[in-house]
């Protein structure tokens, strides 16, 4: 029996958190597993393509002549080769967006030549700026003022799957938005291609904004992008974002550290580069009852991680929470003791993005079920 809570259902929630984000829609059923309006679903990715006017369509429905043209288009030094005969969805995705990108690049270069002259002298003739911007876990009110300002003046924005639609709504009408997330089924861009795009536009003098969910430097591969661009002589400015751990802990009223309860907090990834369980080796030294563990990308490896933590001495009754789409109106939360967490996540059918918090501090949440047994909105998930 899983206890699945939708926090905004608690009538007293605003009394606990007077400044907390008020979700725009509260009405959807607590345990509904069909999220028509999720900011994170794949369906939305298509909508994003359409919104960007780089309409994504299934190959079968695309006229033959367009497919033929697409095969021969190429992008400067892009690792997508555009070779004839390659007809993977990814190739076509990229090809489909190339004309728009090329046009935009051309316009930017022309503008620059007009302003700077061919010799490229003048103050504004160096490369453009690249901003690596953290957008927080989803609630747009968690953006920094700096992020809002930079987003508003961007020429081109590249964003990934964890950037919520509410955040994208802040983008100016003249800016170009490009989805570069890794959404299963759409085979979006590789990291190398993202690097190339950032570089090409920065070299053309554009203000390029790379939006990343949470904080760009926390499990965001922001460091790799920064590294690549800096090596090419492009300055990258990082605008931090509220990482999922902080945003979600605040939403749930969990202090990540608390005197006498947790004297440190540790952010872990449950995801392996090679798809295995190698990150779990940390369990050996992470089984500390005085440390709060926050697991990113941990849904699939949680069963093994929980077992290892318990085998290494973390009490089986350690309070834990799993939070799907935290800080968005679709947020769902499962509270459980560590020994039951994996099973309860499965029965509640939580999906990515889900953050897992393990530690005694979880029980300090006013929503921890042991302290709220009387709460009327706890429901049983089937
Ligand atoms: N840079 C991001 C983390 C990217 S890794 C940050 O600082 O938050 C992606 C993982 O972050 C997801 O698999 C999930 O574990 C977590 N995550 C990010 N946003 C989340 C959200 N709104 N709700 C739940 N988990 C989230």
């Amino acid at each position: 029996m899983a206890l699945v809570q939708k926090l905004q259902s608690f009538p007293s929630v605003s009394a606990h958190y007077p400044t907390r984000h008020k979700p725009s829609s509260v009405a959807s059923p607590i345990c509904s597993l069909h999220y028509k309006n999720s900011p994170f679903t794949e369906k939305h990715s298509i909508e994003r393509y359409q919104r960007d006017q780089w309409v994504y369509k299934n190959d079968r429905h695309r006229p033959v002549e367009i497919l033929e043209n697409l095969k021969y288009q190429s992008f400067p030094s892009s690792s997508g080769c555009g070779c004839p005969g390659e007809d993977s969805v990814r190739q076509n995705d990229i090809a489909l967006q190339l004309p728009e990108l090329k046009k935009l690049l051309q316009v930017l270069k022309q503008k620059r030549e007009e302003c700077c002259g061919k010799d490229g002298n003048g103050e504004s003739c160096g490369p453009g700026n690249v901003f690596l911007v953290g957008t927080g876990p989803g609630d747009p009110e968690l953006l920094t003022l700096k992020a809002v300002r930079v987003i508003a003046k961007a020429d081109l924005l590249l964003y990934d799957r964890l950037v919520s639609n509410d955040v994208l709504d802040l983008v100016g009408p003249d800016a170009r938005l490009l989805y570069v997330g890794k959404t299963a089924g759409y085979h979006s861009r590789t990291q190398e291609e993202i690097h190339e795009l950032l570089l090409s536009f920065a070299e053309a003098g554009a203000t390029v904004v790379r939006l990343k969910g949470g904080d760009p430097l926390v499990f965001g591969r922001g460091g790799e992008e920064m590294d690549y661009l800096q090596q090419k002589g492009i300055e990258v400015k990082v605008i931090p974002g509220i990482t999922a751990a902080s945003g979600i802990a605040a939403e749930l009223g969990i202090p990540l550290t608390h005197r006498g309860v947790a004297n440190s907090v540790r952010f872990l990834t449950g995801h392996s580069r090679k798809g295995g369980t190698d990150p779990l080796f940390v369990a050996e030294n992470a089984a500390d009852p005085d440390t709060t563990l926050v697991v990113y990308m941990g849904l699939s490896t949680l069963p093994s991680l929980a077992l290892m933590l318990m085998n290494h001495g973390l009490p089986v009754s350690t309070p834990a929470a799993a939070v799907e789409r935290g800080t968005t109106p679709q947020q769902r939360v499962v509270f459980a003791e560590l020994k039951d967490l994996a099973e309860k996540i499965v029965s509640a059918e939580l999906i990515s993005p889900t953050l897992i918090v393990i530690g005694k501090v979880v029980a300090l949440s006013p929503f921890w079920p042991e302290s709220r047994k009387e709460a009327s909105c706890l429901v049983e998930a089937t």
Side-chain angles (χ1 to χ4, degrees), residues 185-231:
Y186 294 110
H187 305 279
S188 195
R189 291 164 200 282
T190 64
Q191 195 64 38
E192 291 71 31
E193 286 161 345
I194 295 171
H195 290 168
E196 297 286 351
L197 277 169
L198 292 169
L199 180 63
S200 302
F201 278 86
E203 282 178 345
T207 298
V208 184
V209 169
R210 175 74 170 102
L211 297 173
K212 283 180 173 283
D215 184 274
L217 304 181
V218 177
F219 301 126
R221 303 191 71 174
E224 290 169 45
E225 289 171 19
M226 227 164 54
D227 206 35
Y228 174 83
L229 291 164
Q230 279 166 353
Q231 278 180 29

Side-chain angles (χ1 to χ4, degrees), residues 67-225:
L67 285 173
E68 283 306 310
N69 285 339
L70 293 176
K71 282 180 190 170
Y72 295 96
Q73 283 159 347
S74 64
F75 189 67
S77 59
S78 164
S79 53
C81 73
C83 312
E86 285 195 29
D87 61 351
S88 69
V89 174
R90 179 176 146 273
Q91 204 70 46
N92 289 332
D93 265 356
I94 292 166
L96 194 60
Q97 299 185 42
L98 286 177
E100 289 289 340
L101 290 171
K102 280 167 115 180
K103 239 188 278 168
L104 180 59
L105 252 181
Q106 207 52 45
V107 171
L108 289 168
K109 282 180 179 163
Q110 257 167 19
K111 260 200 210 163
R112 233 159 96 90
E113 275 180 15
E114 282 162 22
C115 299
C116 311
K118 296 260 182 218
D119 54 355
N121 291 328
E123 254 178 45
S124 57
C125 299
N129 290 309
V130 176
F131 293 92
L132 206 52
V133 178
T135 60
D139 175 358
E141 295 197 0
L142 294 178
L143 280 169
T144 63
L145 293 176
K146 249 189 186 178
V148 173
R149 186 169 50 76
V150 165
I151 288 171
K153 71 171 192 190
D155 296 310
L156 173 72
L157 299 100
L158 281 71
Y159 65 99
D160 62 23
R161 190 174 71 93
L162 291 178
V163 177
S164 72
N165 291 327
D166 285 342
V167 170
L168 295 181
D169 284 343
L170 300 170
V171 171
D174 297 329
R176 303 313 306 251
L177 262 171
L178 177 61
Y179 177 67
V180 293
K182 292 169 187 65
T183 308
Y186 294 110
H187 305 279
S188 195
R189 291 164 200 282
T190 64
Q191 195 64 38
E192 291 71 31
E193 286 161 345
I194 295 171
H195 290 168
E196 297 286 351
L197 277 169
L198 292 169
L199 180 63
S200 302
F201 278 86
E203 282 178 345
T207 298
V208 184
V209 169
R210 175 74 170 102
L211 297 173
K212 283 180 173 283
D215 184 274
L217 304 181
V218 177
F219 301 126
R221 303 191 71 174
E224 290 169 45
E225 289 171 19

Side-chain angles (χ1 to χ4, degrees), residues 137 162 213-215 218-220 243-244 248 296-297 323 325-326 352-355:
L162 291 178
D215 184 274
V218 177
F219 301 126
T243 190
I248 288 168
Y296 290 73
M297 298 172 276
V323 186
R325 291 176 282 195
S352 175
T354 287
L355 189 83

Side-chain angles (χ1 to χ4, degrees), residues 33 35 38 41 299 323-325 332 348-354:
L33 296 173
Y35 313 103
S38 164
T41 56
L299 269 185
V323 186
E324 177 193 282
R325 291 176 282 195
R332 296 196 311 147
E349 298 184 47
L350 294 194
I351 55 165
S352 175
T354 287

